[in-house]
Amino acid sequence: MKIGFVGAGGMAQALAGKWSGKHEVMLSGRTPDKTRAAAQSVGAKVGTAAEAVAFADVVVLATRSEDVFTAIGTAGGPSAFDGKVVIDINNPITIETFLTTRDDGRSLTQAIAEVLPGAHVGKAFNMAQVAVWEDRDMTYDGRQMVTLYTSDGGADGVIAQLIADVGAEPLRLGDNRHAYQLEAAAAMVIKFLFAGADPHTIFNFIRPETKPIR
Ligand SMILES: NC(=O)c1ccc[n+]([C@@H]2O[C@H](COP(=O)([O-])OP(=O)(O)OC[C@H]3O[C@@H](n4cnc5c(N)ncnc54)[C@H](OP(=O)(O)O)[C@@H]3O)[C@@H](O)[C@H]2O)c1
């Protein structure tokens, strides 16, 4: 697959590093020097946001959540995303309250899907901290990390494959009506991270241990 990132920060680098051996990857950010260095460090191509989206079969929106809609505009606007799978990894959370900033009960993912009617949108990778995604081997005590995702329409198979390609097991929670649950769960994760918890210990799902039934 051809994967284009809008954003070239911590999450973009962690995911691109996992995918660049198996797929063609392009990073784009706001600051050219920083973006070039980030792309080089993970074996990815570098481009503008518009180039990354034009290049891609799959676009990962990896700016801060408050920059997502500006970045969609910079990348060429909604029509540039037509026919592509778009993965929303963003957490619209404020660290003032550790609550989501979406107060209408609907998710950022649904708002993105409304703005990009020609794309196949889903949410994934938002619930674990960047240090977890950087782990080469995503098994913990011999049990594989399970990654929840939501998706609409044509995004299911592609997102599941890309989760498998980072070394985790995909588990579809449902369509994007469920994305607000992933965002709220991430608010809990972020609250505990800010309280000093180890990122590997907070609300990460792992494949269940199978015990004999007595
Ligand atoms: N960090 C985590 O542990 C983690 C875990 C799960 C999910 N998330 C979510 O993932 C998203 C990214 O997090 P991050 O930690 O990777 O953020 P980050 O390190 O701050 O990176 C953000 C990137 O977006 C770029 N950017 C900002 N506005 C842009 C625009 N209009 N067009 C193109 N690029 C733009 C920035 O470029 P410049 O640096 O040049 O400004 C930077 O490369 C956030 O929404 C976050 O909630 C983060």
Side-chain angles (χ1 to χ4, degrees):
M1 282 181 248
K2 290 184 173 173
I3 305 168
F5 282 83
V6 181
M11 280 298 285
Q13 289 171 60
L15 296 174
K18 289 283 182 71
W19 290 331
S20 64
K22 304 181 178 91
H23 303 284
E24 283 186 72
V25 180
M26 184 183 290
L27 298 192
S28 68
R30 270 186 304 206
T31 320
D33 286 354
K34 253 168 77 178
T35 308
R36 205 170 301 114
Q40 214 163 25
S41 74
V42 295
K45 301 175 200 296
V46 64
T48 63
E51 286 167 344
V53 171
F55 159 86
D57 309 309
V58 182
V59 179
V60 182
L61 295 175
T63 64
R64 297 272 160 149
S65 63
E66 56 272 26
D67 295 323
V68 163
F69 295 105
T70 311
I72 287 172
T74 314
S79 62
F81 293 79
D82 284 354
K84 300 179 191 274
V85 170
V86 174
I87 307 180
D88 165 32
I89 67 166
N90 301 281
N91 285 318
I93 310 296
T94 168
I95 57 166
E96 310 303 319
T97 58
F98 300 106
L99 297 169
T100 86
T101 55
R102 313 283 314 168
D103 51 14
D104 60 357
R106 300 181 79 239
S107 59
L108 175 63
T109 312
Q110 287 170 295
I112 291 169
E114 279 167 20
V115 167
L116 305 179
H120 309 290
V121 178
K123 187 169 206 91
F125 305 108
N126 73 308
M127 275 182 55
Q129 208 251 357
V130 67
V132 177
W133 300 116
E134 284 169 344
D135 287 340
R136 280 175 161 270
D137 175 3
M138 302 206 79
T139 55
Y140 304 91
D141 295 333
R143 291 153 69 189
Q144 193 178 18
M145 167 108 164
V146 174
T147 296
L148 294 173
Y149 72 101
T150 65
S151 55
D152 277 338
D156 298 5
V158 169
I159 295 179
Q161 180 62 54
L162 290 175
I163 290 170
D165 288 343
V166 300
E169 180 176 308
L171 180 61
R172 186 171 182 268
L173 178 61
D175 61 39
N176 287 331
R177 288 176 303 170
H178 294 272
Y180 85 94
Q181 293 168 320
L182 297 185
E183 294 171 4
M188 284 195 282
V189 173
I190 292 166
K191 185 170 189 198
F192 287 118
L193 281 173
F194 272 75
D198 181 317
H200 291 90
T201 65
I202 320 164
F203 211 177
N204 290 328
F205 289 80
I206 52 176
R207 182 179 275 172
E209 185 181 7
T210 324
K211 292 189 173 169
I213 299 165
R214 288 165 196 262

